Amino acid sequence: MAWFLGLGTAGLVLLVLAFVFDGVLDGVLDGAFGGMVSLPALAGFISMLGFGGAITLGTTGAGPGTATAAGTAAGLGTAWLVVRLSRTLMRDQTAPTLRSADLVGTPGSVVTPIPPGGYGEVLLRAGGQPVKYAARSETAQPLGEEIWVTAALSSTAVEVRAVER
């Protein structure tokens, strides 16, 4: 039982070291396994081998061979889950950063009236969030008018026109 608990504890210590020294220990397993196994997956395997074997040995009264087989199965399952989860997380892509040019064609509404050839403010939905921009228009745009962005003048200002229906 002490061997199994020692393996489980060693796996947990290895997992903590892998998290604390994240970039430093990444290359440790590259030569041994060709980069196919990550350090957290190996730590999970060792830990579950130990604790799974200890649980099997303590609860069933089976011999060390059966406990080792049960611990190995639990360790392989854990390592597989760690690898699958890390691959899934590594493939997770964020949305591209919104650029000023992406605002062209965006509908919105006037929140501060725009005088002819002057500036006012409009409310647009940028990246799914309501954002207020300074706005210029060739014609007067009253409060609440539906507008359409025709050009991005800067990162905080746009040129607009009224929506024609």
Side-chain angles (χ1 to χ4, degrees):
M1 173 91 72
W3 283 101
F4 288 118
L5 291 176
L7 277 174
T9 304
L12 287 179
V13 168
L14 186 60
L15 184 61
V16 168
L17 289 174
F19 286 137
V20 170
F21 299 109
D22 185 30
V24 178
L25 297 176
D26 279 345
V28 171
L29 297 177
D30 286 348
F33 298 106
M36 292 179 58
V37 178
S38 67
L39 195 56
L42 181 64
F45 171 76
I46 293 171
S47 186
M48 286 307 293
L49 168 65
F51 290 134
I55 290 170
T56 302
L57 195 62
T59 57
T60 64
T66 304
T68 302
T72 301
L76 287 173
T78 301
W80 180 81
L81 284 174
V82 168
V83 168
R84 297 297 297 172
L85 180 62
S86 63
R87 284 183 184 166
T88 301
L89 291 174
M90 294 299 283
R91 279 193 302 262
D92 187 26
Q93 300 294 318
T94 59
T97 304
L98 184 69
R99 298 173 301 156
S100 298
D102 295 336
L103 294 173
V104 175
T106 303
S109 61
V110 177
V111 292
T112 302
I114 305 170
Y119 279 89
E121 292 178 320
V122 294
L123 189 63
L124 306 174
R125 282 204 144 327
Q129 300 295 319
V131 181
K132 193 170 13 173
Y133 284 89
R136 182 177 75 186
S137 178
E138 294 300 318
T139 60
Q141 304 297 331
L143 179 67
E145 181 78 14
E146 287 186 64
I147 53 89
W148 193 264
V149 176
T150 57
L153 304 174
S154 71
S155 61
T156 58
V158 293
E159 186 163 358
V160 299
R161 67 170 174 81
V163 173
E164 298 171 9
R165 294 184 188 253

